[in-house]
Amino acid sequence: MSENTPMKQGSLPSVFFLFLIAWHIGSPIPSIGQWTEAIIDSEMAGDDKALVDIDGDGYLDIVAGGKRAENEPLTWYHYPDWQKYIIAVPSEEFTTEMDTGDMDLVVCDGPSGNCRYYVNPRPGGDPRQQTAWTSRSIGSGGTWVHDLRVADYNRDGRPDVLTNRYLFTQNQNGSSP
């Protein structure tokens, strides 16, 4: 592959990541210098985590979500001060890997597998305001959902959502079938 050839999403990086995992199994991690620990939120377990530039300042922010019973809403933390901003509260628990596309978020909630698409209010709105985020259901996995990915799987120009059990594709008007 030449350096000018664009890579399809999920091709080489996934294979490379699996290679790195396989290489490190049974071998010591090489010394790469000193590490600095930063506590982002001592109250958040964060079953879901993602790195994405939510506010468009050029730095990756942290997004995390967890259980309603443990007061772990879908939250983003602004880099570098880690200021906390709530996006949404789960019905039960955000339990799947989160995926981002265009700084929007897709997460699934609890045993019903209800997948929701959260629209980042940028550029016209302020992502620090919880009421600025809008969401809609894109479908239900019918059970706990995990391994969620967003990509244009059917090459129609609109993002689709793949989970451990289902592929949700958008109709032309943007709704899920």
Side-chain angles (χ1 to χ4, degrees):
M1 179 182 307
S2 77
E3 62 184 75
N4 295 329
T5 304
M7 223 180 336
K8 291 191 188 299
Q9 185 173 356
S11 57
L12 183 61
S14 297
V15 172
F16 183 69
F17 181 69
L18 291 175
F19 169 76
L20 288 177
I21 291 172
W23 182 77
H24 280 294
I25 293 174
S27 65
I29 297 176
S31 175
I32 56 174
Q34 298 295 318
W35 294 80
T36 302
E37 177 181 358
I39 297 173
I40 307 303
D41 186 341
S42 62
E43 303 296 317
M44 170 70 84
D47 288 343
D48 298 325
K49 296 161 275 311
L51 293 171
V52 62
D53 183 8
I54 293 289
D55 59 351
D57 64 0
Y59 295 100
L60 292 176
D61 304 303
I62 296 174
V63 181
K67 297 179 181 177
R68 180 181 183 94
E70 295 173 17
N71 195 28
E72 296 178 341
L74 183 58
T75 304
W76 72 278
Y77 301 88
H78 178 264
Y79 177 84
D81 60 5
W82 306 126
Q83 179 66 40
K84 179 179 183 174
Y85 299 100
I86 294 173
I87 298 169
V89 176
S91 298
E92 187 168 330
E93 178 179 6
F94 292 124
T95 58
T96 184
E97 288 84 3
M98 197 176 309
D99 207 338
T100 61
D102 191 24
M103 284 24 112
D104 297 332
L105 304 169
V106 177
V107 295
C108 296
D109 187 357
S112 68
N114 183 26
C115 296
R116 298 198 66 81
Y117 185 94
Y118 290 89
V119 179
N120 189 327
R122 283 194 325 109
D126 185 352
R128 295 173 294 179
Q129 304 299 318
Q130 181 178 358
T131 56
W133 289 81
T134 59
S135 74
R136 67 182 177 93
S137 177
I138 59 172
S140 175
T143 186
W144 295 99
V145 173
H146 57 86
D147 300 330
L148 181 142
R149 299 291 180 263
V150 175
D152 183 6
Y153 291 101
N154 58 6
R155 298 183 180 194
D156 65 356
R158 294 181 299 273
D160 305 308
V161 177
L162 176 67
T163 73
N164 59 314
R165 294 175 179 245
Y166 300 99
L167 173 64
F168 298 103
T169 57
Q170 292 187 57
N171 293 327
Q172 269 192 320
N173 65 2
S175 66
S176 296

